Amino acid sequence: MDIHRCRFVPFPPSTINALAFSHSHISKDQKAAPPRLAVGRANGDIELWNPQGGAWLQETIIRGGKDRSIDGLVWTQDPTEEVDGKIFIGKSRLFSIGYTTTVTEWDFAKGRPLRQASGNHGEIWCIAAQPPISKSEKGADPGQWVGQRLIAGCTDGALVLYSTEDEDLQLQRVLVRPSAKKAKVISVVFQNRNIVVAGCTDSTIRIYDIRNGSTVRNMTLGSGPKGGPKEIIVWSVKALRDGTIVSGDSTGEIKIWDGKLYTLRQRIKSHQQDVLSLATNFDGSAIFSGGMDRRTVVYKPAGKGKGRWAEVAHRRFHTHDVKTMASFEGGGLSVIVSGGPDAAPTVVPLGQYGFENQRSLPFLPQDTLIRSAPKHGLMMNWWDREIHIWHIRKDPDCTDNDEDIENKPPQGRKLVAKILIKGEANITSAALNSEGSLLAVSTNSEIKLFQLRPKVEEDILRVSKLPGPSTCCSGARLIQFSPNGKWLCIIRPDSQILLLRLLTSGTSSASSPTFHPKPTKLTRLDRKTEKHILLGGLGTYDRTIAQLAFSADSRILAVSDISGHIDTFVLTGQEDLSQALPSNLSEAASPSSSPSSSCESESDSDDPDEGNAKKQTICGQTWRRNPSAALIPKLPSAPVVLSFRPSATSSKLPNGTVALHSTRNNPNPISHSLPGGEARLLVITSTSQIYEFEVLKGSLSDWSRRNPTSVFPEEFKRTLETVRGCIWDLSLGRERVWLYSVGWIWMFDLSRDLPSSSSQNGGERGVVVNGSKKRKRNGNGGGSGGRERASGAGGAIPDSQLGMGISRSMKRVIHEEVEEDSQLIQGSMDVDSDTNTPDLPDLSLLRRGSKDGGKRGKGGGSSYEPRPHDWHTFKYRPIMGVVLIGEGEEGLGPEVAVVERPAWEAGLPGRWEGEQEWRDREVGL
Amino acid sequence: MASALKRKRGPVEVLDTPKRSKSVKNQSGNPLRPVSDKAGWEAAFNPPQELVAPTNGVNGNHSHGTPESPEAVDYEAYVQDEKYKDAIHQREKLSQNVLYDNSNKTSVYSEPKKTNDLWKLSEPIGGRMINADPVFTADEKFLIVANRRTINVYSTLNSLLTRSVKPILKDDAPRTTRIVTYCLSPTHPNIIWVAFSDGSVFRIDWTTGRGGNDHWTISSTGCIHMTVASMESSGRRRDVVFTTETKKDGGFRITAHGMSQETPSDTPTRTIYTTPNRIQFLKTAKEGSVIVAASGNRVLLGRLRSTEYNTVENIRYEFRIFESTEVIKSLDVRVSERKETDGLKKSLKKSPVVDVVVGNIRGVLFVHNDLLAKLFSQQADGKLPPGISMVPRKLHWHRQVVHTVKWSLDGNYIISGGTETVLVLWQLDTGKQQFLPHMSATIQNVVVAPSGTSYAIQLADNSAMILSTAELEPTANIAGIQASVLESEEPLEAQVEKVEELSWRPPLVQSTPAIINPANPSKLLLGVGQTQEISATKPQVMSNPFLQTFDLGSAHNLSRQALTRTNITNVNAAPSTHPLSEPRVTHMKISHDGKWLATVDEWTPPAREYDFLKHRGKDLSVEVQQRREVFLKFWQWSKESELWELVSRIDSPHSLGPDSGDAGRIFALAADPSSSRFSTIGEDSIVRTWGTKTRKRDGVVVRAKDGNAFRNWHCQHAICLGKPELLEGSGHSEKYPTSGSVTFSEDGSVLAAACDSDDGLLHIVDPDSGIIRLSHTGLFEGTIIGMEFLDQDLIVLSNKLFVFDVVSETFRFAIKLASSPASLTPRQKQEMMHLAVDRRSRTFAVALPTFSVQSGKPSLWSASCELTVFHQDSREPQLTEEFPTIITALLPAVSSEGYIVLDTAAEIRTVMKKGSQAVTALAQSTSALELDTVPEEPTSEMLQEEDVEGVDDYLLTPAATQDGEGDDDNEHPVVTQQQLSEIFDIGPSFALPPMEEMFYQVAGLFSSKPLAQSVS
C-alpha cells in the first residue's frame, strides 16, 4: 500500500459532560433490557455504547446542534410487568439536560428528541432519577406509582420534580422555590424514593422530602480552606445502598455522612484539587472519585469499625479532569466508566480494580467521518457543521518517505473546499461520489446536495448548492453514493431506506445534476420481533441501520442493523434511460408513512410477486429485495464493516449465480434479471468475527467456511479494538483486505486459507488446551473470539506487574508439612459466559483438509512461505480513518490516506492542574 | 598478607646507625646480595649502600641538586627467589621476631606487639550505628543504639553515653562479624538480646553490662535477623528467640529457640519455616502468637497453632504467604483486640486484629488491615468467603525506597521515612499527610517509644534523635563520627535501577579531610557529607559539604556546620529526578593557633548535563573541566557563636593551566606551623602562599566590635614551578600535572613543593620572598602523594618513601612500595595513601591500602590497610599494624606522641607510644570511660519504681565523673574539694579531658601531696 500519513485533519474532540448507564446493576436472574451507556458531549452529541461483554461498541450517535450541549444524562426504567406469562420488560428512557430550563427525552430509535418539558425555573444544572421501587416497598403500598421521577437542580436554587408517568414527561412540582439568596444546586441525588439530597455552592448539602417538599436537614461543610474561597462547592453527591451519603467537594475531600442522623461521619482528603465526580458500586462496598487533579481514587471500607472508609489506591487514567463517572455491574461486567475533557471514555475495572487494566475507548466516532473520491484524489472529512475537502497528491520529492508528508504540507495536500452548512443541526453523514463532483450532506433534518467543480486556474473547488429533491427534507442518518454514482442511498433517521436515481451526474461543468423525482423505498425483512419486546426495553432501537454497502457494480445494496441482521437488495433489469419520467409525483410514495405502518405493510407483502407490483421501476431498473436475503443469518453482534469483495477476477470466472435464479422469471416487460457475478460480502462484527457471505446465494462463501474466526491469528482475536473499516488491495492479482481500527492496521490475504491453529499446535490437543484454559479462568468468559476480557475493561494484569501489594494467590504452609496454594482474589462475579462456546474447528478443518494437504505437497513443505497470510502494524494511532485516494502505482497497491488524530494535538481545553506541580507544593520545598 | 612496604635492601655490611653518606651517581644497579645473617627488620632495613648528595650549587638560587635516587630493591622479589627460600624459612624458625607472614592472618593483631612494644593501638572509639531499630528501654530513660560490635546505652535526657557493652566474640569469628539486630526482652526489661552476623546471640543486661561473655550459637551459618517474644506455655513464661538464617544445604529458614538461662547448653530449637528465598525481616506480636516475616517480595504471616507445648521443640506455626511485585524493605505489624466478630469463622473470633504495613524498595506503602483474619478465613474449598477485600491500601508518597515504617501506638497513624529525608506521618482516617522535612540525612529507622510520646529516628549520617510526638521537637540528639563508611552488604534498594551517578573507577575510598584543632587537641574536625555509605563495588564521588566537630575525649559530636552550599534546605533532586550534587571539601587545614581554618572545595557538574555537547565532537571531559568550581575559603573561629565564620573566599585560586582561565584542582594545602599562613599547589603548577591583610575601608582599618581589626586573606606569592625551561623534553608541557604536594618546614622558613614530573623534581622555596632556593630531582617516583617536614628531614611519599635531609642534601633512606599499592592508579593513591608526621615523637606514619586479589569485580570489601610508623632516624618501622578496614585519615595527635587513625568503619583509633600516656589528651575507648559503678543508680531505679530524685542526681553528675569521686571519697578524704574541682570543673562533661588523664591528675594529688596534707 502506498500510504499518506495525515495528521492535518482538524477534528476537535468534544468534552464528555455526562455518562449514564441504563442500569447500574443487572443481577443474574433479573430480566432487563440489554444495558447501554449514554455519553453526552459538549457539542450536543449523545453516543450510545453497547458494552457487549467488554467489546465496547459505539452503536449510534444522536447528533446535536449548534450551541447545544448535553450536561446531564439520566436513564429510567419503566417497571417490568408480567402479562399472560410474558414478561414485558419496562421501557428504557433517556433524559438529558443541557444548561437550559428544559428536560429532553430522547427517541434513540429515531435519533431525535421525543418530548421536552420545562418550567418556570432557572437553568437546570443537574438531574437525578428516583430509584426504582423495591419489592418490599411495592408490597407495603400496592397503590403507589412504581415508576421513576426525575429531580432537577437549578442554578437559581430551585429543585424541580418531573414526572415520567404515563409515558410522558411533565413538571410535577417545584420542590424548592427559587430565591435570590439560595445558592446553586450543583449536584442532586435520591437517597431513597422519597428523600432527595442536593449539594449546593454555599458549603451546604440540603436534604428534602419530595412527598411534602419539606427540608429534612441542612448539612454544612464549614468554611473553605485557608487562602481559598470561603464557600465550598459540593460537586457531587451519591448515596450508598444503606443510605450513607457521600459527597465530593471543592476542597478535594470526600465526606461521608450518616444516612439516618445526617451528620458527618468521616472526611478523607484524597485529591489535590476539586473532587468532580463520584461513583459507587451497587452493594455500596466501594466508592470511586474523580477530580480536577486527574486522579481516580478508590475507597473501600476500612478494617476497623463500621462505616469507616479508606482510600485504597489512586491513579491517573485521564489526561484531564475526571468530570463524570458511571458504574455498571452485571452480565460479566463490573466497570466504572469515566470521562472528561480529554473526550475518551475510560473503562476502569470496578470489582477487579488493580488486577485488570483500564481501557480507554476511542474518542473518534466509530463511523469514520472521512470519505474520498479516489478518482481525483479528494479526501473529505466533517465534524459538527463543517466539511473540509482536501486534495491529496503524491509528493514528488519524497515518494519513499511517507511519514514526512506532514512536515511538507504544500506539496502533499491542499485544502480545496471548506463548507459550513446552514442550520443548527450537526452533520450526521456526508457522501462524495467517486468523481468528486457531487457532495451530499445530511443532518437530522435535511439533506443538502452540492456540486463541486474544479476551478481551472486554481486548485480549488467551486461549491454550488443544488436544489435537492423534495424527499430530502426529512434528514438522514446515513447517506452514500453508489460506486457508479447513479444512486444515492439514504437511510432516514427512522431507518427507512430510500434510493434516489441520479439522472444526469453533472460531470460536465455547465449542467447540474438532476434526480429522478421519485425515490425508491426499500423495506427490510420483518424479523418477527415479539410485540412485548418492541414495546419494552429499548424498543425498535436495535433495528437501527448502522452500515450500508454497495457492490462494486452498484447492483447490490447491503444494509445491516445493530442487532446483527443483514438485508440485501438487488437491482434488477437493464438500464433503459429512454423510459420517461413519471408524469405525476405520487405523494403517497413519498416516505411520509410511519415506520410501523411500513413494517406492517411489509409483513404481508412478503410474496415477491405482490411486492414487485408495488416496486417502482426507474430507468428500466427496479430495486427489489434479494430473494435469498432471508437466508443470511442473524449475526451474534452488530456488523461494523460491510464490504463487497471487489471481484477483479470475476469477469474471467464462469458466472455461477445466474442459473440459480433463472427460474424466477415473470412476464413483466421490464427485465427482472438479477445481477450476475459473484457477490461476496465481507462482514466484520463488533466482536471481530469475520464472515464472508455469497449474498446472492445467501450462504457463507467457501473461504469463510474454511476460515472461521477461530483460525484467525491469536493476536488478532485478542485485540480489543473494534474494526472500523477496510480497504481492498487487488493489484497484481492479490486479494488482500486491510482492516483498520483505532490502533492498528491489519492485512489478511483472502486468496488463501489462513494457517490453521491446529496445524501449528497439533490438532485436538490445541482445542482441549484452549477449552480447559477457559474453564479454569473463571470470570473471563465474557469475551468472544478468545479475547481475554475479564470484566469489561482492559484485561487482566499479569502477575508480575500487579501493583496492588498483594498477589492473586497465596500459599499455605502448616508447619512445614502441608503446602498448598489458594486464590486470594476471587473474580468479581462468577459469571461464566453464556455467550458462545468456542467454535469447534473440526468442520472447517475437514473442509480444508484435503486442500491443505494438496497445497503442502505442492509447496514442498510448510516452512517456505513466500507471502505472509497476515501482517499488522500499530504504528499509526489513533486512526481516524483510512480512505482510498487513488489507484496507486503499479505493484504498490492502492494509494490510501491514513488519517490520524492524536489526542495531544487535539487541543484540549486548559487544565487547572498541570503535570507535576503538586510535587513542589507538597512539602513546601 | 604482604607487607605494603618493600624495604630498601642495603648491602651486606650492616650499619646499625643511619649513615648520612653522600650518594654518587654511578652507584646504580646494586646487584642482589645474599641475605645477611640478620633476621627480621634489621635485615630488611639495611640502609642504602651509598647515598651521595650532589655538592654543587647548594646555595644557589636556582641551582638544581640531583641527589641520586637510591636503588630500591624489591624485597618480595628477593624473597621469592628460589635460591633464598630455604634460607628464609630457616630464618623464620630461628628468628625471635617472627617475619611478616603472608599466610597467618590471625596474627595480625598480636604480631606487631611482638615486633615492637614501643607503640600501642587503642581500642576504637566512635564507629557507626548499625542499621537496625534503636531500642527504647521500658521507662524511656535510655535509648540503646548499637555500633558494629558494641551496644551503647544513651540517656534520653542529656544525650550522653551512659554505658557501652562490647560482647566478646568467639576467637574464630570472621573480622566482618557485626551486630545484626538487638531487641529488648519482653519478659525482663533490663535484658537485651543481641544477635551477631556469625550466629552468636548474647543476652546482655544493659543496666550492668553483664552477659557480654557468654553466648549461644544458634547457627553456624550466621544470622540474618532476630526477634524475641515472651511466650507463655505450660505455666511458664520465657523468652523465645526467633532467628532467620541460611540453611547449610541452601535455602533459608526461621527457627525458634528457647534460650533458658538455667541450662545454657541446652537450647531447644525448632525450625518453623523454610524457604528458598532469603528472609530479611522478622517480627512477632501478641506474645509470639503472630509472626510476620518478609522474604524478598513475599509477606509471611504465621500464627501459633496451639499454646499447649512444653518446650520450644514442640512449637507449631501455620503460615500464609502472599507476594507483592517489589522487594519489601520495611514492615511493621500492629496487633489489637478484636471488637466485632461478625461474619467471622468461629476459629477466628478470638484472633486479634493484625494490621500490617509494608514498605517496598520503590517507595510504596501497603496497609493490610486485619490481615490475619482475612488470610485465615479460607473455607474448606480454598476459597475466601465473599465480601472480603484482600486489596491493601496503597500509600504512595515516597519516590524512593521506604527505609522504615511504623505504626503509631493507637493505629491511627503510620510513620515512614526514606531517602527523601522527610519524616512522613500518615493520618489513615483522613488520608492526610504531615511532613517533617529537612532531616539531615536519609531516615533509616524510626521507633515509637513505649509510651508513644516520642519517636527515635536514626539517620544515615550516623546520628539518632528523639522527637516528641506532639510538637516534633527534638529532645535528644546522638551523633557519631559522620565520616563515610563502607557498606557492610549490598542494600536491597540496589535492585532498583537508578541513573548512574559519577563513581570512582577503579573503586576507591575518598580520604576524609580531618584535622585536630591545635588550640583544643580533643577537637577533631572532619569534612563530612550527607550520604555516608560507600558502595563497595561502585563507590560514588561523595560530597562532604559539612564540617563536623567531634570531641575525642567523650566521643561526642560537638557541632556541625556547612562549609559549602548544601542541599539540606533545598530541593535535592533536579526536575529529571537526578540528585543534585554538592561540592566536595578536598582539603582542610588549620592554622597553628587554631584560629584560622582553610578549606578547599571543588564541584564539577555531572557529565550528563553536557551530553548535548556531544554532537560537537568535543571531548566531554574538557567541557566538564571548564565548568569546575574550586573555592579556597578561610574561616575564623568565632568565640561567641562557637562556629567558624567565613572570612575570605577565593574563587578559582588556581587555574587549569598556565594560560587557562578555568578553575584548576588544588592538589595540596599546607599550613605554616609558625604563623598564620597557608600554601596551596594546583593544577597550574603554581605554589601560592596565602596570608592575612588588615581590612581597610578608605584607608581606615575596619574593626570588629571587640576592637580587633578585620583581616582578609590574600595571595602573598605565586611561585611558578616552571619546569619547561629546565627540562629539555618540552613534550610534557601540554600535560597538566595530576598530583602535587606542598609543605612547610617546622619553623615555617622553608616551603617544599613538588608537582608531577618524570624525574622527581622538587623545589625548596623561601615562603617569605617567594623565591625558589633549591631544586632537586629524584626525590619521588611516579605520583607524589604526600610530603612532610620532620626537622630538617623531608619525607616524601610516592611510589617510594624517601627521607631526605634538606640541610645536608642527603638521603636518609628510601623504601619502595610493594607491588600491590604501587600498582594502584594515581587517583587511588592520592585518596587512599596517607602520610603523617608526629613532631613530638620524631616519627612519621604511612597508611597504605592493599587490595587482595579476589575473583570477580574489584570490590572495596577486599581492601585492607596497613599502618606503619617509622622513626625519623631508623628504617626499621616501630609499628606495623594491619587494619581490616581502609584508613581514610591519618593525623598526628597534636598534644601527645602518636597518631589518630580514622577508618571506613567510622572508628577512630589512636596509635601512641607507650609510657607517654600521662601526656596524652587523646582518645580513649568509650568502654574505658564507662566504669562499672556508673549505672548503679539507673538499675536500681529501674528495678524498683520510677524515682525522680535519681534522675536529677544523674543529671547533675555526668557518668564519667562520678566514679572518680566515688573512688576517691572512700580512700582519701584529705584532698580538698577545690583541688578536685580544679580537675573536674573545667568545662562541660563532654569537653573534659579523657578519663585516663583525669585519673593521673587525681592520682597525682593523692600520690604526691597526701603526705604533707596528712601531716598538717
Side-chain angles (χ1 to χ4, degrees), chain A residues 558-575:
Chain A
V559 295
S560 69
D561 62 18
I562 291 167
S563 64
H565 290 296
I566 299 173
D567 285 273
T568 50
F569 303 92
V570 292
L571 182 63
T572 58
Q574 296 300 319
E575 191 176 15

Side-chain angles (χ1 to χ4, degrees), chain B residues 508-520:
Chain B
L508 61 85
V509 177
Q510 283 173 213
S511 65
T512 306
I515 36 171
I516 294 231
N517 190 343
N520 188 352

Side-chain angles (χ1 to χ4, degrees), chain B residues 786-799:
Chain B
M787 202 158 63
E788 290 287 348
F789 268 106
L790 190 58
D791 282 346
Q792 74 266 45
D793 287 350
L794 179 66
I795 298 142
V796 186
L797 179 63
S798 60
N799 279 354

Side-chain angles (χ1 to χ4, degrees), chain B residues 585-599:
Chain B
V585 174
T586 52
H587 299 92
M588 199 159 77
K589 280 284 184 301
I590 197 162
S591 71
H592 69 290
D593 51 2
K595 282 181 182 158
W596 297 97
L597 177 73
T599 61

Side-chain angles (χ1 to χ4, degrees), chain A residues 774-849:
Chain A
K774 246 198 163 132
R775 230 163 287 131
K776 202 170 142 194
R777 193 170 286 150
N778 146 17
N780 268 10
S784 47
R787 295 187 189 188
E788 286 182 31
R789 287 192 206 102
S791 67
I797 299 175
D799 281 346
S800 57
Q801 289 165 20
L802 282 179
M804 295 305 286
I806 197 157
S807 49
R808 284 197 174 88
S809 65
M810 113 181 130
K811 199 186 234 178
R812 298 170 65 191
V813 178
I814 301 173
H815 197 76
E816 292 289 297
E817 286 142 19
V818 187
E819 285 203 25
E820 55 189 50
D821 287 358
S822 56
Q823 286 295 117
L824 261 184
I825 305 298
Q826 63 266 56
S828 58
M829 47 196 73
D830 291 336
V831 187
D832 210 350
S833 57
D834 50 345
T835 48
N836 48 351
T837 51
D839 288 36
L840 291 178
D842 314 3
L843 268 176
S844 64
L845 284 179
L846 269 177
R847 283 185 198 116
R848 55 160 52 178

Side-chain angles (χ1 to χ4, degrees), chain B residues 217-222 245-253 271 274-275:
Chain B
T217 302
I218 51 112
S219 160
S220 57
T221 50
E245 62 264 332
T246 321
K247 283 199 296 181
K248 276 206 189 80
D249 54 342
F252 297 85
R253 65 175 182 212
T271 301
T274 55
T275 169

